[in-house]
């Protein structure tokens, strides 16, 4: 009898699998007693995207650690910081210089410690490959690469001076980076091919040149004087000619984009052939000239690393680097129009929106709501761990932690609702203490700040941090939460309470995918709208027309 029950349980596991495998493969898996979880992947429907983890949509509530915090000695405080943030995912670097200290000899100490610690703390990982490029420089390549500029050529400025940036034309460099990355993916497949602690691997970090728009070596100059490659012409919808003839004033930057995107795509394709999970890049975006005082020139190579997938180049990158599944903007400016344009630019039908880095201070927290409104699959403030003094000082991040604490219990449900196109959000803006959200027949009025007195305009909040999240669960049902905001539903072209009413307002939470109400709101909690202050509260609303 025990053997019969074991076989029955294995049969149930097989029927529940989402990955389609052959009958013979299934039989072998059942016979061995091993049924691996489905690998993470990104899917698209009607221009919306979802990151599937174990076959279901997953919202990454992430935190990126500091550049030098992925060492075993630092990981204790990393896990504590992730818990304080209420994160479900940690973004951590893998350093080429540590992973391959001597060419062909690989040290897996750091990666093994990350995976073991993440599993012990019920966390997922996004691994950031600090290889050829990290923030427009070559600082994380091994010493044997740094010390051999003949074998691994550097980018040359127009005046002939070399930079601490590796050229994308260096085939030896590409071969070395690719070999190391493939070795990393082979190891990941070995140690994480079944459990899938690692969800995404980022290839390089804010890639490109700082100090020159493009490489000006003799080899690069000869290519620049020649005809533009046919695949780039097709991607850019241009006619044949030299780089200057085709791209004019943007020829140098486009040249760098082309060879850099092809370089990174080749690395990603080689890794994906070994271990097929989502691959991403992150982008040091182009800011308005006054946004970064130390780089107050809107010019590639100065204002941002030349060659990266900045706003005007993201389309070319998607065409030239098909092995990259996600291009994500790093956000360190919080201007309303700037942020909205960024989100619209990177939330494309062919590109999921993921925010791999964002400022950790409170003024960036409301962008989380904006990102959800654009269907984001992940969001991660940078520098969440405690490393003593750093460039961010001792700045705390309570607002991000509040957001994640609110959404963590329902992150799966939110991801599914986003993928189905049922989520809308509102974020307070200066001079706009109220906003309308359109759900067709039903409308939602969002008002910010308290007290909200009858006959008076809502006061708004002093720093404009109010926000609201609404997901439509059915024709007359909604899931609602927010921060220092009230939400009231009404029929189109009618005021609240005209021919409509709340049937029920349940405060509760999701437990293992099931809604669990804990109390009903009514009277003072509903008469002037559903009021959300600083408390972590979610309600499920049923409306009625009469």
């Amino acid at each position: 009898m025990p053997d019969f029950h074991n076989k029955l349980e294995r049969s149930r596991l097989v029927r529940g699998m989402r990955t389609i495998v052959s009958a013979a493969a299934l039989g072998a898996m059942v016979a061995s007693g091993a049924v691996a979880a489905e690998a993470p992947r990104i899917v698209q429907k009607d221009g919306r995207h979802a990151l599937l983890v174990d076959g279901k949509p997953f919202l990454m509530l992430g935190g990126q650690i500091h550049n030098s915090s992925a060492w075993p000695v630092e990981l204790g405080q990393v896990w504590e910081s992730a818990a304080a943030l209420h994160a479900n995912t940690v973004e951590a670097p893998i350093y080429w210089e540590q992973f391959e200290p001597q060419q062909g000899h690989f040290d897996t100490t750091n990666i093994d410690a990350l995976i073991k610690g993440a599993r012990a703390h019920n966390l997922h990982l996004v691994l950031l490959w600090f290889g050829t490029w990290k923030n427009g420089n070559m600082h994380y390549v091994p010493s044997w690469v740094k010390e051999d500029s003949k074998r691994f050529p550097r980018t040359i400025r127009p005046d002939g001076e070399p930079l601490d940036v590796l050229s994308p034309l260096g085939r030896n460099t590409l071969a070395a980076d690719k070999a190391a990355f493939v070795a990393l993916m082979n190891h990941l497949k070995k140690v994480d091919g079944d459990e899938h602690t690692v969800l995404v691997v980022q290839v390089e970090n804010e890639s490109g040149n700082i100090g020159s728009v493009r490489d000006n070596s003799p080899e690069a100059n000869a290519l620049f004087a020649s005809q533009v490659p046919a695949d780039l012409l097709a991607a850019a919808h241009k006619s044949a000619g030299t780089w200057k003839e085709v791209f004019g004033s943007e020829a140098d930057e486009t040249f760098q984009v082309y060879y850099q995107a092809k370089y990174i795509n080749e690395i990603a394709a080689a890794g994906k052939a070994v271990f097929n999970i989502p691959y991403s890049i992150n982008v040091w975006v182009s800011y308005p000239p006054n946004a970064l005082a130390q780089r107050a020139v809107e010019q590639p190579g100065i204002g941002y690393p030349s060659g990266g997938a900045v706003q005007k180049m993201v389309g070319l990158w998607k065409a030239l680097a098909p092995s990259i599944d996600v291009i994500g903007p790093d956000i360190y400016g919080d201007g309303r129009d700037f942020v909205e344009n960024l989100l619209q630019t990177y939330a494309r039908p062919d590109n999921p929106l993921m925010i791999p880095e964002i400022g950790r201070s409170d003024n960036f927290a409301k962008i989380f709501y904006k990102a959800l409104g654009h269907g984001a699959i992940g969001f991660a403030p940078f520098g969440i761990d405690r490393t003593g003094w750093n460039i961010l000082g001792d700045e705390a991040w309570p607002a991000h932690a509040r957001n994640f604490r609110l959404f963590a219990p329902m992150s799966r449900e939110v991801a599914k609702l986003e993928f189905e196109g049922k989520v809308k959000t509102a974020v307070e803006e200066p001079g706009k203490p109220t906003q309308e959200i359109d759900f067709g027949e039903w409308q939602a009025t969002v008002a910010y700040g308290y007290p909200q007195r009858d006959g008076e305009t809502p006061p708004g909040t002093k720093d404009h941090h109010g926000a609201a999240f609404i997901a439509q669960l059915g024709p007359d049902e909604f899931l609602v939460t927010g921060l220092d905001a009230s939400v009231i539903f009404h029929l189109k072209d009618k005021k609240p309470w005209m021919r409509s009413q709340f049937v029920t307002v349940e405060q509760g939470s999701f437990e293992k995918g099931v809604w669990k109400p804990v109390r009903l709101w009514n009277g003072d909690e509903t008469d002037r709208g559903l009021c959300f202050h600083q408390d972590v509260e979610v309600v499920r609303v049923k409306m009625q027309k009469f």
Side-chain angles (χ1 to χ4, degrees):
M1 289 299 290
D3 184 63
F4 169 78
H5 287 298
N6 287 339
K7 289 181 179 178
L8 179 61
E9 182 60 25
R10 289 172 183 170
S11 176
R12 287 171 177 164
L13 284 172
V14 168
R15 288 199 304 270
M17 290 180 63
R18 305 239 179 181
T19 304
I20 300 175
V21 296
S22 69
L26 273 178
M29 293 168 69
V30 172
S32 67
V35 180
E38 180 180 336
R41 60 191 177 97
I42 291 172
V43 294
Q44 185 269 142
K45 179 177 68 176
D46 299 329
R48 300 184 298 273
H49 300 86
L51 170 64
L52 299 188
V53 177
D54 298 330
K56 298 183 294 184
F58 182 87
L59 175 62
M60 287 192 293
L61 304 176
Q64 186 170 148
I65 62 177
H66 287 99
N67 292 168
S68 299
S69 295
W71 295 88
V73 69
E74 294 285 347
L75 293 183
Q77 59 89 14
V78 164
W79 310 131
E80 291 174 359
S81 298
L85 182 61
H86 302 278
N88 60 25
T89 305
V90 167
E91 297 184 356
I94 299 296
Y95 318 112
W96 186 7
E97 61 181 345
Q98 179 276 327
F99 183 66
E100 192 180 12
Q102 294 86 38
Q103 188 168 14
H105 297 277
F106 301 103
D107 181 352
T108 64
T109 301
N110 284 21
I111 180 61
D112 290 341
L114 281 165
I115 291 175
K116 181 180 178 181
R119 289 175 182 168
H121 292 85
N122 196 31
L123 291 164
H124 285 285
L125 291 171
V126 173
L127 296 181
L128 319 174
W129 175 240
F130 284 10
T132 297
W133 289 282
K134 196 277 179 184
N135 293 35
N137 294 110
M138 56 179 283
H139 296 167
Y140 283 84
V141 303
S143 57
W144 50 269
V145 174
K146 292 177 181 176
E147 294 169 352
D148 192 349
S149 58
K150 182 176 182 180
R151 184 180 170 200
F152 305 107
R154 298 176 179 227
T155 291
I156 305 300
R157 296 191 331 190
D159 61 3
E161 290 294 317
L163 295 168
D164 60 342
V165 185
L166 291 165
S167 171
L169 301 178
R171 297 302 298 179
N172 288 333
T173 313
L174 172 57
D177 191 329
K178 182 167 63 175
F181 190 74
V182 167
L184 175 62
M185 293 305 103
N186 269 310
H187 185 70
L188 280 183
K189 183 178 181 180
K190 178 181 177 181
V191 301
D192 198 44
D194 293 332
E195 296 193 40
H196 300 298
T197 305
V198 178
L199 302 181
V200 178
V201 176
Q202 179 184 293
V203 189
E204 315 298 340
N205 189 89
E206 294 186 346
S207 64
N209 292 341
I210 286 293
S212 180
V213 181
R214 66 169 176 88
D215 185 12
N216 293 270
S217 66
E219 178 188 3
N221 287 339
L223 287 170
F224 188 73
S226 64
Q227 296 287 298
V228 174
D231 57 344
L232 178 56
L233 291 173
H237 307 290
K238 298 283 189 178
S239 300
T242 65
W243 289 88
K244 277 289 188 184
E245 290 170 344
V246 174
F247 294 107
S249 62
E250 293 190 340
D252 292 87
E253 184 178 6
T254 308
F255 180 89
Q256 178 70 22
V257 164
Y258 178 76
Y259 286 101
Q260 187 172 309
K262 301 276 281 188
Y263 182 113
I264 290 176
N265 185 69
E266 189 170 332
I267 292 172
K272 193 167 270 192
V274 172
F275 193 32
N276 189 8
I277 61 175
Y279 288 66
S280 70
I281 62 168
N282 67 328
V283 184
W284 177 338
V285 299
S286 176
Y287 290 88
N290 62 345
L292 291 176
Q294 73 273 28
R295 298 185 190 275
V297 179
E298 194 175 13
Q299 179 179 326
I302 300 177
Y304 56 87
S306 180
V310 294
Q311 296 92 310
K312 63 183 178 180
M313 296 295 183
V314 65
L316 285 183
W317 263 89
K318 292 301 297 185
L320 296 170
S323 293
I324 296 298
D325 302 286
V326 183
I327 298 176
D330 295 344
I331 302 178
Y332 291 99
D334 64 348
R336 176 187 180 277
D337 292 341
F338 171 73
V339 169
E340 185 61 29
N341 288 336
L342 273 186
L343 299 181
Q344 290 180 8
T345 297
Y346 289 91
R348 297 164 48 106
D350 62 354
N351 188 66
L353 179 63
M354 185 173 80
I355 312 301
E357 294 182 36
I358 193 166
R360 71 180 188 183
S361 57
D362 285 0
N363 54 304
F364 289 96
K366 71 179 184 180
I367 297 173
F368 176 68
Y369 283 84
K370 284 180 175 285
L372 292 181
H374 285 274
I377 64 171
F379 188 93
F382 171 77
I384 65 161
D385 60 301
R386 305 185 305 273
T387 59
W389 186 90
N390 55 72
I391 60 171
L392 301 178
D394 296 323
E395 187 177 57
W397 30 256
H400 285 300
R402 191 261 180 203
N403 285 346
F404 284 11
R405 182 178 168 223
L406 173 62
F407 281 86
M410 58 179 181
S411 60
R412 289 279 193 174
E413 289 72 27
V414 169
K416 181 175 182 291
L417 290 165
E418 283 190 298
F419 189 43
E420 294 170 349
K422 296 179 179 179
V423 169
K424 296 192 178 185
T425 61
V427 174
E428 183 181 4
E429 304 296 348
K432 295 183 178 179
T434 63
Q435 293 178 18
E436 290 289 313
I437 304 181
D438 183 4
F439 287 98
E441 186 176 22
W442 289 105
Q443 308 288 297
T445 301
V446 182
Y448 303 105
Y450 296 97
Q452 296 183 8
R453 299 186 175 92
D454 290 344
E456 295 182 7
T457 300
T461 64
K462 291 182 179 179
D463 57 357
H464 316 297
H465 67 258
F469 168 97
I470 307 174
Q472 189 161 19
L473 306 180
D476 304 312
E477 294 189 49
F478 301 89
L479 188 72
V480 189
T481 189
L483 174 63
D484 283 337
S486 70
V487 178
I488 191 158
F489 293 93
H490 61 94
L491 295 171
K492 200 165 190 175
D493 301 323
K494 294 187 183 297
K495 293 182 179 180
W497 309 114
M498 292 180 62
R499 307 299 296 271
S500 67
Q501 65 181 354
F502 291 119
V503 176
T504 55
V505 178
E506 299 176 341
Q507 180 187 334
S509 62
F510 287 95
E511 295 181 15
K512 297 181 179 180
V514 178
W515 175 254
K516 300 287 188 179
V518 294
R519 69 165 177 157
L520 293 177
W521 284 12
N522 215 326
D524 290 343
E525 284 69 49
T526 60
D527 288 350
R528 291 172 175 79
L530 311 171
C531 295
F532 301 95
H533 299 277
Q534 294 287 333
D535 295 332
V536 175
E537 295 176 331
V538 183
V539 297
R540 185 166 180 161
V541 177
K542 184 174 183 180
M543 299 298 299
Q544 182 189 38
K545 303 180 286 288
F546 62 86

